[in-house]
C-alpha cells in the first residue's frame, strides 16, 4: 500500500516520471544463512503482521511448510540437505521470498499502470488495487516469486513490510528472528555488516563464503550471506546469475514502441496513398449504378 | 445496364463480420495490455480486470469463426502463375496502373497473402494465448514456455493487425469492394476489371 507516494522511483506501465521529490536511503535486508536455525519465526511474524492465513496443507516429506509461496505465504523457509564435502552433511535453510531487485523484472513486465511500484528506498511493492491479474509479473521475475490468488486473481508477494519501513520500523521478520540471522538497515550498512560475517565464516573454514547481491538484476534489497557463495544453487536452486529473461527484455524493451510506430506508419501510409495515388475506380462503373 | 454479380452469400458475409467484430474487440483489448499508450482502452471493456477476463474469450470466438471462414475460402487461395505475374507488377498496381495486368481469379496475390498470414497467425495466437491465459491455463505451463508465448503472442498479433490495416485500406482504396461484403454483390465492371478469370467463370463470358 502506498504510504510513500512521493518516494517512487519506478512505476509499472508508466512512461513518464513518477513523483520523486523525496529521496530516501536505500535499505536492505540481510539474511545470514549460516545463523538460521530454521525455526520459522519469521514466517509466523510475516503472517501475523500482514494478517495472512494460508490453508492447512499436506506433509510431502520435507520440512518446507507451507510447501510453496502463495498469496497467503509471502515467505517460506526452504530446507536443502547437501553434502558439499563427502561425508559432511549440511542443512542449508534459505528464507525464500521477494528479493526486491534494483531492476525488477516483475515491474518491467506488468501492463497495468501503478500495479507495481519501486520506492526510492529500493522496496518493490505490489498495489493490488491496480492489479488486473494477468500474471505477466510471473514471467518477468527471475526468482519465481509473485503468486496470483485463486480467490481474487491479484498478484501477491513480500512487501518488505513497506508499511513498517515507511514509518521507521524494521520488517516484521527482522524483528522476530531469535538468532539475529536477519538484519535490516541501509544497504551500505548491510554490505558492511556482511563483510564482517564473511571474514568470520572464512576463518571458520568456509573459504567460499560470499554475499549474494546479484549484479544481473542490478543488485537486490534482500541479500544473503552464503557459506558456499560459489554455489548458490545448493540453496534450493537460488540462481547463480539471475537476470530478466532476454525474452522478457525483447517483449518489453524497445520492440514495443517500435511496433507502435509501425502500426501508426501503416495507417499514415494508407492515408497518404489515398490522397496521392487516389482510389482505384473502374471507369465503366458509373453507368452500371 | 449490367447485372450485379454475387460475390458473397449472406452466410459468408455474416461469418466475415463476426470475425471482423471479434478482431476489433480482441485487437483493442489486446493493445490495451500491449503498451501503456493504449491502456486507456481498458475503459471500453469495463476496466483492467474485465479486459483481462474478456480478451481471451473474444479471441476464441474469433478463432472458431475464422476457421469456419478459412475452410470456405481455402480453395480460392492457391497461388497460380497469374498471381506470380500480378505480384511482379505490384508497383504498378499500387500506382493504379492496371493496364495489361494478368487475368486473375476470385482473389489476387495480395489477398491470398493476407489469407495465409491469417491462417498462420490466428491459430498461433490461440495456442500462445492459451499458454498465458490466467487464471485457467497459465499455471500449468513452465515459465520458459510462458516467456516464449508472450513474445509469440505479441509479435503475431502485431503482424495480424498490420495485415488487417492493409486489408481495410485495400477495401477503401479499391472502389466497389466494400459492397461485396455488405450487400454481397459487385458490379460487372468491377469483376471484369479486378478479377477477370473469376468474372468469366461466373458469367461464362
Ligand atoms: S498480475 Fe497484476 S501485478 Fe502482475 S503483471 Fe498483471 S497487473 Fe501487474
Ligand atoms: S524478486 Fe521477483 S517479484 Fe521480487 S522484485 Fe525481483 S522480479 Fe519483482
Amino acid at each position: 500500500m502506498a504510504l510513500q507516494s512521493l518516494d517512487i522511483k519506478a512505476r509499472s506501465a508508466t512512461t513518464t516520471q513518477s513523483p520523486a521529490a523525496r529521496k530516501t536511503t536505500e535499505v536492505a535486508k540481510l539474511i545470514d544463512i549460516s545463523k538460521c536455525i530454521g525455526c520459522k519465526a519469521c514466517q509466523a511474524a510475516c503472517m501475523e503482521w500482514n494478517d495472512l492465513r494460508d490453508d492447512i496443507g499436506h506433509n510431502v516429506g520435507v520440512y518446507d511448510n507451507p510447501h510453496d509461496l502463495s498469496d497467503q505465504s509471502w515467505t517460506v523457509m526452504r530446507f536443502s540437505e547437501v553434502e558439499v564435502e563427502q561425508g559432511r552433511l549440511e542443512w542449508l535453510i534459505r528464507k525464500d521470498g521477494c528479493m526486491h531487485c534494483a531492476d525488477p523484472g516483475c515491474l518491467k513486465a506488468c501492463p497495468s499502470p501503478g500495479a507495481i511500484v519501486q520506492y526510492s528506498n529500493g522496496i518493490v511493492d505490489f498495489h493490488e488495487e491496480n492489479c488486473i491479474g494477468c500474471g505477466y509479473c510471473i514471467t518477468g521475475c527471475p526468482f519465481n516469486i509473485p503468486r496470483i490468488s485463486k480467490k481474487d486473481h491479484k498478484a501477491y508477494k513480500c512487501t518488505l513490510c513497506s508499511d513498517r519501513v515507511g514509518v521507521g520500523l524494521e520488517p516484521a521478520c527482522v524483528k522476530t528472528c531469535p538468532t539475529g540471522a536477519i538484519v535490516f538497515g541501509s544497504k551500505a550498512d548491510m554490505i558492511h555488516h556482511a563483510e564482517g560475517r564473511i571474514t568470520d565464516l572464512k576463518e571458520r573454514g568456509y573459504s567460499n563464503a560470499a554475499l549474494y547481491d546479484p549484479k544481473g538484476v542490478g543488485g537486490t534489497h534482500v541479500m544473503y550471506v552464503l557459506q558456499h557463495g560459489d554455489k548458490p544453487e545448493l540453496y534450493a536452486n537460488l540462481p547463480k546469475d539471475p537476470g530478466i529473461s532476454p525474452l522478457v527484455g525483447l517483449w518489453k524493451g524497445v520492440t514495443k514502441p517500435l511496433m507502435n510506430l509501425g502500426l501508426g506508419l501503416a495507417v499514415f501510409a494508407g492515408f497518404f496513398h489515398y490522397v496521392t495515388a487516389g482510389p482505384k475506380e473502374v471507369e465503366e462503373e458509373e453507368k452500371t449504378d | 445496364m449490367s447485372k450485379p454479380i454475387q460475390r458473397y452469400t449472406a452466410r459468408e458475409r455474416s461469418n466475415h463480420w463476426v470475425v471482423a467484430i471479434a478482431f476489433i474487440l480482441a485487437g483493442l483489448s489486446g493493445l490495451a495490455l500491449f503498451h501503456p499508450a493504449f491502456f486507456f482502452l481498458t475503459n471500453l471493456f469495463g476496466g483492467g480486470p474485465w479486459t483481462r477476463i474478456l480478451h481471451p474469450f473474444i479471441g476464441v470466438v474469433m478463432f472458431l469463426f475464422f476457421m469456419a471462414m478459412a475452410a470456405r475460402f481455402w480453395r480460392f487461395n492457391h497461388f497460380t502463375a497469374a498471381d506470380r505475374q500480378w505480384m511482379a507488377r505490384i508497383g504498378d498496381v499500387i500506382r493504379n496502373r492496371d493496364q495489361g495486368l494478368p487475368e486473375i481469379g476470385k482473389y489476387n496475390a495480395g489477398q491470398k497473402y493476407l489469407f495465409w498470414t491469417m491462417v498462420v497467425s490466428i491459430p498461433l495466437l490461440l495456442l500462445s494465448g492459451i499458454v498465458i491465459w490466467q487464471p485457467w491455463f497459465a499455471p500449468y505451463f513452465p515459465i520458459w514456455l510462458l516467456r516464449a508465448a508472450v513474445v509469440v503472442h505479441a509479435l503475431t498479433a502485431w503482424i495480424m493487425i498490420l495485415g488487417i490495416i492493409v486489408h481495410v485500406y485495400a477495401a477503401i482504396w479499391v472502389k466497389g469492394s466494400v459492397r461485396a461484403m455488405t450487400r454481397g454483390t459487385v458490379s460487372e465492371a468491377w469483376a471484369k476489371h479486378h478479377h477477370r478469370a473469376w468474372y468469366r467463370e461466373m458469367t461464362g463470358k
Side-chain angles (χ1 to χ4, degrees), chain A residues 110-112 115-116 131-137 148 155:
Chain A
C110 176
S112 184
I116 305 181
C131 172
I132 67 169
C134 63
Y136 288 1
C137 47
I148 304 237

Side-chain angles (χ1 to χ4, degrees), chain A residues 97-107 116 118 122-126 137 140-146 157-158 217 220 244:
Chain A
C98 176
M99 301 295 284
H100 297 272
C101 311
D103 183 13
C106 56
L107 187 148
I116 305 181
Q118 181 182 40
I123 295 180
V124 177
D125 219 352
F126 283 14
C137 47
C141 175
F143 294 98
N144 182 22
I145 299 301
K157 68 159 191 71
C158 156
V217 291
T220 53
I244 301 175

